[in-house]
Structures are given as C-alpha cells and as structure tokens.
Amino acid sequence: MLKLEPRPSASATMRYVSPLAAVALTLFASLFLFAALGKDPFTAFRVFFLNPLRDMHALTELLLKATPLMLIGIGLAVGYRANVWNIGAEGQFVMGAIAATGVALQAGDGGPWTWVLMLLAGAFGGGMWAAVPALLRTRWRANEILVTLMMVYIAQFAASWLVHGPWKNPDGFNFPQTRMFADAALLPILVEGTRLNAAFLVALATLAVGYVFLERSFYGYQMQVAGEADAAARYAGYSASRAIWIGMLASGGMAGVAGVAEVAGPMGQLTESISSGYGFAAIIVAFVGRLHPVGICLASLLMALLFLGGEQAQQFINLPSSISKVFQGLLLFFLLGADLFIGYRIRFDRTVNPGKLPWKTT
C-alpha cells in the first residue's frame, strides 16, 4: 500500500527549486489547455506568454502590473513568516484606495505633494482595516483567516456605496465612479509616453526595506522564530501579540499603498471595479517567492505576465481573460504539490493489508 512518510529533513535546495519546477509545469500544462480549448497551442503560447514582452511599452505595462503585487506580497510575507494568516489583503487594498480618494477629492488641485499625502492616507486606511482582525485575534482569539476574508466584502460594498452615492461624479453619465483626480493627485510618470509611474519606485524601496526587516533585523528574526517554532519563541520571551500586530499592520498598510498606486496611477479615479483581484493573487506571489523579497519581486513579474497574457489572449485569440486565473490556480497547485514531496516521500508498505483496515471490518 502506498503511503506518505515524513522525510527526516527537508532539502533546503529543493525549497528554492520547487517554484521553478512549478513554473515549468504550468507552462507545459498551458500547451494542453490551449489545445483543449481548440487553439493552436504554440500560437496561443506565443500570444499569452511572449506578446506581453515584445517591446518597451509592453515591458512598462508589465512593471506597472507587477507594482501592486510587489507591495502586497512583501506585506503579506511579514505576517506569514510568523504564521499570521491575512487572507483579506483585497479588502485592505480597497480601503487604501478609498482613503486616498478621500484626500484627492478634498485636496482638489492641491499642491505638488498631494499624492504623498494620498500614499500616507492609503497606508493608514489599509492598516486600520487590518487592525480590526488583529484586535479580534489578540483579545478574543478570533480566527484571522475568516475575519480578514469576510472584511473583503465589507470593503467592496463600502466602495460601491461611495461611488453610487456621496462621491458619485454628477457629470459621469450615471457611471458608478468619482470625478477624475486633479494632476497633483496623480503619481508622476517615470517613462514618458507610458503609464509606468512612481509607485514602481515605491515598490522597489518597500522590497529593500522588507529585506532589511525580514533578513537583517531582530524583530524579523523574532517573527521567523515565532512562525517556525512557537514553543521556542514563547520560551525565549518573544511576544506573540506583537508578532500578530506587526504582521497585520504591515500587510494591511502595504495593501493600502497598493490601492493608492491603482487609483492615483492608471485609473485616476475610484470606480466600482477597483477590486481587481490583486490582493488574492499576491497570496500566490508571496508563496511562490518563498516569503523572500527577491523571490517576491520575481514572482510579481510572473503573476503580472499571467494577468497581461489573459488580456492578450482575449484580444487576439478570443479566449476569456479569466484564463489567467486558471494559470494562477495551476501555478499554486504545482507549487503545493512540489512542496508536499519536499516534506514527504512515497513509500510502499507491504505490512498494511487494506482488507483489514477498520473501515473495511464494520
């Protein structure tokens, strides 16, 4: 009988090789998926995976798409290292966008630093939205997975109410959206003629700060110990509550900044469709990147490629854009499968007789 047996020690090398294996398996599986959908697999592969890299404009779009994923992914990694499972970054992303929109609408033409105030407001909005599950977890041991997930829908309904009600653009032909932001409330463009803006530099700076915090600081070490050996962390006197608060506020704040990057960047306003799935996709980014800033940067680019590939597939070969979510799911599936075999191995146990198992004798 086949059974899974824990390995004496998991291979450290394979932990870093398995994301590459998952990517290779996803690309290989894409050929079969395209063929099953009635498309020439090699043409579809070129359109989906290579078109988004064809020229400088396409590359800037890739970086633009990867920016919110980098911001959210590094924030989530801080909490995940300490086993603080924030699944609601999507809601914190929306609340950051709402807070920044409030500043932009109040500031009007404002001054040249309006977008800086928007970044601070977005971080505050996302952080405060994440503080609610942190408080419930530390005070009443509420499950942060369920709380953060349910709060996503509250944030989405709040955004919908605002753009249908008090913030609705009276000149917007009844579309659920705010007024377009003034120029002072828009992030500066980095490459003329493209949409790549200063949020990309903010994301790179955040990854650098995240690297120092996670890999070179004492607090980062505490959080890693709390995640890998809870009993050892308690014995050493590390505060579990502090790890929860740091993890939730960091992930919420970064998700809020990502929301600002979206409304003050390519959108230029708050709309009902602000919830674009970045918060959920960043969970995959964090794990494919092995909760390491460099890995998260590379995984964000890969995930951005899947988003853009879905749009290209819809435009050129008439496939639904949602196919990008299928590839995201495949990537996570193969990664989890590879991780399973890093920690366990398959053994054939001749001593077990399936006919004598308890459920067979009743």
Side-chain angles (χ1 to χ4, degrees):
M1 181 178 185
L2 294 177
K3 70 173 187 178
L4 286 174
E5 181 179 273
R7 295 182 186 275
S9 60
S11 168
T13 303
M14 285 306 299
R15 285 194 71 250
Y16 294 98
V17 170
S18 63
L20 300 177
V23 172
L25 289 170
T26 301
L27 295 177
F28 186 66
S30 71
L31 297 175
F32 291 95
L33 183 59
F34 289 137
L37 292 171
K39 306 295 179 183
D40 177 62
F42 296 103
T43 301
F45 185 93
R46 177 178 54 78
V47 169
F48 195 99
F49 292 105
L50 300 183
N51 265 14
L53 308 172
R54 65 184 181 279
D55 54 31
M56 180 57 72
H57 184 271
L59 290 176
T60 58
E61 285 292 308
L62 182 75
L63 297 179
L64 180 71
K65 209 74 170 177
T67 296
L69 297 169
M70 292 180 190
L71 289 165
I72 304 173
I74 190 64
L76 290 175
V78 174
Y80 289 170
R81 284 221 179 175
N83 284 340
V84 179
W85 302 108
N86 178 9
I87 307 298
E90 185 76 7
Q92 294 139 26
F93 171 90
V94 173
M95 292 309 294
I98 290 175
T101 300
V103 173
L105 295 179
Q106 287 297 319
D109 289 336
W113 297 101
T114 301
W115 61 271
V116 178
L117 295 177
M118 292 170 65
L119 286 176
L120 296 175
F124 181 79
M128 289 302 99
W129 202 244
V132 176
L135 178 66
L136 296 176
R137 164 76 185 273
T138 53
R139 280 294 185 91
W140 295 286
R141 295 183 178 276
N143 187 311
E144 77 271 20
I145 295 176
L146 295 177
V147 175
T148 53
L149 186 59
M150 288 189 292
M151 289 181 68
V152 171
Y153 303 104
I154 299 173
Q156 290 172 340
F157 283 126
S160 179
W161 172 71
L162 287 170
V163 298
H164 278 93
W167 286 357
K168 185 176 182 179
N169 182 3
D171 303 321
F173 304 101
N174 211 32
F175 285 103
Q177 60 191 17
T178 65
R179 291 182 181 277
M180 294 297 294
F181 295 170
D183 289 343
L186 298 178
L187 291 163
I189 295 296
L190 292 181
V191 181
E192 200 62 35
T194 71
R195 300 193 300 167
L196 186 64
N197 57 56
F200 177 63
L201 298 182
V202 174
L204 293 181
T206 304
L207 287 173
V209 172
Y211 175 81
V212 173
F213 178 79
L214 292 173
E215 304 293 331
R216 294 288 184 267
S217 76
F218 181 62
Y219 283 128
Y221 174 74
Q222 282 186 335
M223 299 195 69
Q224 186 169 352
V225 171
E228 294 181 356
D230 182 51
R234 285 198 304 272
Y235 182 77
Y238 299 159
S239 170
S241 295
R242 183 166 57 191
I244 293 169
W245 276 102
I246 291 175
M248 293 300 293
L249 292 180
S251 54
M254 289 302 98
V257 173
V260 182
E262 198 67 6
V263 295
M267 297 185 72
Q269 62 182 161
L270 180 67
T271 71
E272 194 175 30
S273 59
I274 180 62
S275 180
S276 49
Y278 287 132
F280 295 119
I283 297 173
I284 303 175
V285 166
F287 282 104
V288 172
R290 288 300 185 216
L291 307 183
H292 191 284
V294 176
I296 288 170
C297 180
L298 298 175
S300 298
L301 294 173
L302 172 65
M303 194 61 68
L305 179 63
L306 296 182
F307 274 113
L308 292 176
E311 296 172 5
Q312 296 281 319
Q314 183 183 31
Q315 182 178 356
F316 293 106
I317 52 178
N318 201 28
L319 286 176
S321 61
S322 58
I323 193 172
S324 64
K325 294 182 178 177
V326 175
F327 287 124
Q328 292 174 22
L330 283 173
L331 181 62
L332 183 61
F333 172 78
F334 287 127
L335 179 70
L336 294 177
D339 285 350
L340 174 68
F341 290 106
I342 291 175
Y344 295 84
R345 59 187 174 191
I346 296 178
R347 292 291 300 272
F348 186 77
D349 191 347
R350 297 178 183 275
T351 63
V352 177
N353 184 352
K356 293 185 177 181
L357 291 175
W359 59 81
K360 293 289 185 181
T361 58
T362 56

